[in-house]
Amino acid sequence: MDKQYKTVYEGGVGEIIEKKSRFIATVIPCEDEETALQFIEATKKKYWDARHNCSAYTIGLNHELERCSDDGEPQKTAGRPMLDVLLNEGIHNVCVVVTRYFGGILLGTGGLVRAYQAAVKEGLENSVVITKQYGKKIRIVTDYNGIGKLQYIVATNGYTMLSTDYTDVVTARVMVTPSEKEGFIKKVTEATAGRAEIEEEGELWFADNGGEVILFEE
């Protein structure tokens, strides 16, 4: 199976009001625990006058590291419900802090759970969430007759075109997942009657962010 996972590309902030209490969710991408802890501490300093700064983070392709904190709220009414949202959404390598300014009205256990989860969802809505895929970069050199056929193959099969350079020949670079590689090469070879030069240039993580291709060199 091809490797892929959802993660946060750009963090965001979301806010809800529940019975006069403000819940401010701040989300960041996070690939190690040190980054998460520094972010939580910085958020606590930023919102030093708030009643609570509850947190949750999950790190690793298999959620190897999961941590959460109620920061003074009743046990399991904030941190764990926040973490559950991240896990249910299938998002990896992310940290969120929900800051609460108490509005004077008690919400009860169920009300707190719903409010903290709603705040996290609002924070994620205002973040850029992407699906990172592990793929192979393929370089194709063809003539001007072949490029139209290549573009058709890419468009109809959902491959990702990275670039197209026109000189006396056309050089294109396409991202495919490992399981797609052989099929892609076969399609291009057949469509160009074996005249295209095809070369694998390496493996890397990539994502399609609404038409913008993002490459993650590692």
Side-chain angles (χ1 to χ4, degrees):
M1 181 180 292
D2 294 321
K3 292 187 290 185
Q4 64 176 40
Y5 65 95
K6 287 174 64 178
T7 190
V8 173
Y9 181 56
E10 293 180 2
V13 179
E15 180 176 337
I16 67 166
I17 305 292
E18 185 65 33
K19 294 183 178 178
K20 298 184 179 180
S21 281
R22 289 178 65 200
F23 293 84
I24 306 167
T26 310
V27 179
I28 65 162
C30 175
E31 296 194 356
D32 57 73
E33 188 168 30
E34 182 180 359
T35 301
L37 295 176
Q38 289 176 349
F39 168 65
I40 292 167
E41 194 59 35
T43 305
K44 287 182 176 181
K45 290 181 179 178
K46 178 180 180 179
Y47 297 109
W48 60 271
D49 56 340
R51 178 71 66 91
H52 306 282
N53 283 285
C54 305
S55 59
Y57 55 91
T58 174
I59 297 169
L61 297 187
N62 296 302
H63 302 289
E64 288 86 353
L65 181 61
E66 300 173 2
R67 296 287 186 272
C68 58
S69 169
D70 295 311
D71 194 40
E73 292 281 30
Q75 189 175 12
K76 296 184 179 180
T77 62
R80 183 68 222 189
M82 291 165 57
L83 180 60
D84 285 343
V85 171
L86 302 179
L87 297 178
N88 290 339
E89 292 286 337
I91 299 178
H92 303 249
N93 295 344
V94 59
C95 180
V96 57
V97 176
V98 175
T99 302
R100 182 189 183 190
Y101 284 95
F102 183 55
I105 301 174
L106 296 176
L107 301 183
T109 301
L112 285 172
V113 170
R114 288 189 294 273
Y116 276 101
Q117 289 193 323
V120 173
K121 291 177 182 177
E122 188 70 17
L124 290 174
E125 279 290 321
N126 293 323
S127 303
V128 178
V129 178
I130 60 173
T131 298
K132 289 179 71 171
Q133 300 181 74
Y134 198 66
K136 295 178 180 288
K137 186 194 294 186
I138 309 296
R139 173 178 173 268
I140 304 100
V141 180
T142 185
D143 56 26
Y144 278 74
N145 291 326
I147 188 58
K149 296 172 182 176
L150 173 61
Q151 290 171 334
Y152 177 79
I153 290 170
V154 170
T156 55
N157 290 275
Y159 304 129
T160 300
M161 182 76 80
L162 297 180
S163 63
T164 310
D165 298 316
Y166 297 88
T167 54
D168 54 328
V169 293
V170 184
T171 303
R173 286 175 172 82
V174 178
M175 286 299 302
V176 299
T177 62
S179 66
E180 295 171 333
K181 176 188 169 183
E182 288 188 11
F184 171 72
I185 291 175
K186 182 179 179 181
K187 288 182 176 70
V188 175
T189 300
E190 291 177 350
T192 61
R195 290 192 294 271
E197 177 187 322
I198 304 171
E199 177 188 7
E200 182 181 332
E201 289 192 326
E203 300 181 348
L204 70 161
W205 290 94
F206 72 104
D208 187 338
N209 180 29
E212 174 199 3
V213 180
I214 307 165
L215 301 180
F216 300 90
E217 302 289 349
E218 296 183 3

